[in-house]
Amino acid sequence: MDDRQRIRFLEERLAQANRERMEAITALEMALDLHRYLPTLDEGTNPESLLEEASPRIRAVLPFRAFAFYLVGEGFPSFDRIYCDPVSWSAFVEREKTLLVEDGSFSWAIDRRKVVAVTSSGREEKILLHVLATPSRVLGMFLGVLDPKTEIPDVSLIFLSVVLNSVASLIQNLQLFRLVQGLNGELVERVFALERSGRDLQRERRELQGKAQAAEEGLDHANRTLLQEMAQRRRVEEALRSQEEQIRALFESSPDSIVVLGRDGTCLYANGAFLERTGSSEERVRGQGLEELLSETPDQVPFWREALDEVFASGRTVRRETRMVFHGRAVCLESTLSPIRGKGDEVCAVGVIWRDVTERRLAEERIRFLSYHDPLTGLYNRRYFEEELVRVDTPRQLPMSLLIGDVDGLKLTNDAFGHQEGDRLLVDAAERIRKVLRGEDILARWGGDEFVVVLPRTDAATARAVAERISRYDEARIPIPCRITFGAATKDREDQDLGQVLREAEDRMYARKLLEREGVRRQILSALMDRLRRSTFESEAHTEGVGGAARRVGELLLLPQEEMRWLELLCCYHDVGMIDLPEAVLRKPGPLDAGEWEMVRKHPELGYRIALSSSSDLAPVAETILCHHERFDGTGYPQGRRGEEIPLLSRILAIADSYEVLTSGRPYRPALSPRKAREEILRGAGSRYDPELVRLFLSEP
């Protein structure tokens, strides 16, 4: 855009701003009695006080170094600063505002109606711009200063928009309130002038009637004066009707529901927003009582009747918040009930403004929930537990027992099956504990794989019984059985420190886990193998057959005793990774399709991870489990190792496992005689099997 185009653009924007200014002046002249219908703010309210109240909420969303609010001025581009926090940053934000207006950043933020992030002129701060706007107009701009390294989550931007949109709505209501005050004063003066004029007219008319017989000229003059006054009165009445129509148009454009109720609670007026939310029409609503207006929530009628009576009795504005049903939809409403005064300053009606704050309250409730709950399990978190521990620490709760539990097998689950499966184990453990506890017991996730329980009015013996009941081994859970190791401690005396009792329970839990660690791991591993045998052809006879064949080769190789023990473990657990395969695949009588083969080819890797995580005894054979389907010619899986790159024990197992399968048979292939099986092994020497090991294996009769 060249200079001439920019000048033309600025001239058009200036003309548009002047047109808007003239429209605002026209609205001021027409809105004579807005205060009768929309008295929602106190006279002492000003923009600075509103923004001062909003400042802590803004800082709660993002750690601003400083921020300022600007309102649109009369000229374009013109933004007037009305608030800066802290004041010491005023010069900085004013300089940055000027630069951002000149380079078009303010216009860009207004067009987008979203948060715009820019860098300060000194490149040392990050600046956020957010337009202050309502659905009908742009009010101004929010300018916030952040540290350039500050990370800004998307949810923080959403909360910032919620707060700033609320601020914009309040500023617009305050502006409308100021307009109404001015118009109301002007209207009162004009009405009083009209009444004085009417009284003067009557007096003059009486005087003229008394002089009519004496002076015809005086009568003619009085008649002319009367006609002039009547014409003026008609003009005033027409102006009042026009202003009433403008006020109605203003009410109709409001997004908030507005109704005017008489002293008996009947509806005198309802705007379009209210009619839309209730699915009704103005003809049906006008004249209805509270029972009909609130037919969807009849239990609310006494509440609103009491609020109306309070306004009529006190003559003051009343604010309420409640939940109602509009057209089948439950909503949370912020309500303002303001008196409408007639002659003699008597309250003759009440204007009610209902503002839908359902989404805002849901967001606030969600934030409160997340601040005290664990997002994974839905249990209370550690912060809530520590606060509750102080609350329940009273003599009437004694004896009070504390349990701390640690979920066994979580590391194995995470390492072998992934953290998503580990999360599922934690959720299942939380649900298992919850089912055992009473309503008055407190359960929280302490952190990681630990849970903590408060048992009020529970002695040590009962606490241990509860812990044992929760700790029972759940072998049916797939893929990893669920077991929780608990430590328990009890506060019996008022002078005992509950924090020390908690530490005592934690120490007992760790001591018990240390004693039972290897046993628990073996128990979990044994459960996996039992389930695998029930789902596959890996029977104990198959394991013994493979072990016998492998031992013969190991003895011929004169393997050390330790390696012979590892070989036996490998024969027992080489297929443990198949635990994650569907039973339909494990027992399929025919050939596997491509997708099924892809699943099967992953079981050595899963077995490797299980061996590393499940038991210190099994860890030395983890690599041999990983390689037990590698082929001597390098065409095996999962790594494609070849020759002596494959561990010796894995090469021995490959021969022993194949021989046992060939001689015992499977549903998809008949069993072979030992001679035929040995011939089959011989044909695989050099390709599938180590030829030297094949020679040793076949040397045995």
Side-chain angles (χ1 to χ4, degrees), residues 171-217:
I171 291 175
Q172 176 173 271
N173 282 348
L174 181 59
Q175 292 175 344
L176 290 175
F177 181 72
R178 295 289 183 254
L179 291 176
V180 168
Q181 281 186 317
L183 293 174
N184 191 48
E186 181 182 346
L187 176 61
V188 170
E189 289 297 325
R190 294 177 70 174
V191 169
F192 285 168
L194 184 59
E195 290 179 353
R196 287 194 299 270
S197 176
R199 289 193 297 270
D200 294 340
L201 179 61
Q202 291 177 359
R203 184 177 61 256
E204 290 176 7
R205 186 173 183 178
R206 287 192 299 269
E207 292 175 355
L208 287 173
Q209 287 175 346
K211 297 177 181 179
Q213 296 178 357
E216 184 177 350
E217 294 83 2

Side-chain angles (χ1 to χ4, degrees), residues 252-537:
E252 292 300 323
S253 66
S254 173
D256 299 328
S257 298
I258 302 175
V259 295
V260 177
L261 303 176
R263 183 172 288 276
D264 59 353
T266 57
C267 179
L268 306 178
Y269 166 80
N271 73 340
F274 178 85
L275 297 176
E276 181 180 354
R277 286 190 172 95
T278 57
S280 187
S281 64
E282 186 173 3
E283 293 76 15
R284 288 181 56 192
V285 169
R286 189 182 295 273
Q288 287 186 347
L290 283 176
E291 291 77 7
E292 296 170 294
L293 290 174
L294 305 177
S295 59
E296 292 185 276
T297 51
D299 57 313
Q300 289 285 318
V301 173
F303 173 85
W304 288 106
R305 178 70 66 185
E306 179 184 353
L308 285 174
D309 291 343
E310 182 178 347
V311 176
F312 280 115
S314 66
R316 295 192 300 269
T317 296
V318 173
R319 291 178 174 83
R320 294 286 189 272
E321 182 170 316
T322 186
R323 295 186 181 275
M324 296 175 59
V325 176
F326 275 151
H327 206 39
R329 176 175 174 261
V331 295
C332 182
L333 299 176
E334 273 185 354
S335 308
T336 302
L337 297 85
S338 301
I340 299 175
R341 303 182 184 277
K343 292 182 179 180
D345 204 36
E346 180 185 2
V347 178
C348 60
V350 173
V352 183
I353 298 178
W354 281 314
R355 174 164 297 165
D356 187 346
V357 294
T358 307
E359 296 300 325
R360 189 172 75 194
R361 291 294 180 263
L362 289 175
E364 292 171 354
E365 290 174 5
R366 181 61 180 166
I367 291 171
R368 283 195 296 271
F369 179 86
L370 291 176
S371 67
Y372 284 112
H373 288 79
D374 171 44
L376 175 64
T377 63
L379 300 179
Y380 292 121
N381 58 18
R382 185 166 183 165
R383 174 186 175 187
Y384 177 87
F385 174 80
E386 289 175 344
E387 293 180 5
E388 281 296 287
L389 204 59
V390 176
R391 184 185 65 82
V392 300
D393 189 9
T394 61
R396 68 185 184 87
Q397 302 288 1
L398 297 180
M400 181 162 52
S401 295
L402 301 181
L403 305 180
I404 294 185
D406 183 277
V407 179
D408 297 319
L410 181 62
K411 184 178 186 304
L412 169 61
T413 304
N414 287 334
D415 293 347
F417 301 97
H419 286 272
Q420 186 173 3
E421 187 60 42
D423 289 346
R424 195 173 71 85
L425 175 60
L426 289 173
V427 171
D428 290 347
E431 184 61 25
R432 183 176 182 183
I433 301 172
R434 187 177 4 226
K435 289 180 178 178
V436 173
L437 299 181
R438 304 166 299 181
E440 64 268 25
D441 299 332
I442 302 171
L443 169 62
R445 186 178 177 190
W446 186 248
D449 55 358
E450 294 181 356
F451 297 91
V452 61
V453 180
V454 179
L455 302 173
R457 296 185 295 277
T458 304
D459 58 27
T462 304
R464 287 193 297 271
V466 171
E468 290 300 325
R469 183 179 174 190
I470 301 174
S471 298
R472 289 173 187 168
Y473 196 59
D474 181 11
E475 295 186 0
R477 190 186 179 279
I478 297 175
I480 296 296
C482 182
R483 185 180 184 276
I484 309 169
T485 299
F486 274 101
T490 302
K491 177 178 179 177
D492 299 299
R493 304 184 314 277
E494 185 177 350
D495 60 349
Q496 283 182 275
D497 179 29
L498 197 55
Q500 182 60 40
V501 175
L502 182 64
R503 288 188 290 273
E504 183 180 345
E506 189 174 25
D507 291 343
R508 290 177 180 176
M509 181 266 291
Y510 284 129
R512 187 172 182 182
K513 283 191 69 70
L514 186 63
L515 290 174
E516 299 177 353
R517 180 174 54 188
E518 286 301 321
V520 169
R521 290 179 176 179
R522 292 191 188 96
Q523 198 173 21
I524 293 174
L525 189 60
S526 176
L528 292 179
M529 292 306 300
D530 288 343
R531 190 181 306 135
L532 185 62
R533 292 189 184 100
R534 291 193 297 269
S535 303
T536 66
F537 306 109

Side-chain angles (χ1 to χ4, degrees), residues 92 95-96 99 119-125 127:
F92 174 84
R95 182 181 72 249
E96 294 298 321
L99 296 175
T119 305
S120 67
S121 57
R123 302 290 179 180
E124 297 178 357
E125 290 86 9
I127 295 178

Side-chain angles (χ1 to χ4, degrees), residues 154 258 337 487 557 568:
D154 291 344
I258 302 175
L337 297 85
L557 290 172
E568 290 181 2

Side-chain angles (χ1 to χ4, degrees), residues 561-586:
Q561 183 176 359
E562 185 176 37
E563 289 193 34
M564 289 295 290
R565 187 172 66 85
W566 291 346
L567 182 60
E568 290 181 2
L569 289 173
L570 176 62
C571 293
C572 290
Y573 297 107
H574 61 279
D575 278 335
V576 68
M578 287 189 175
I579 191 66
D580 203 32
L581 293 175
E583 188 170 346
V585 174
L586 294 171

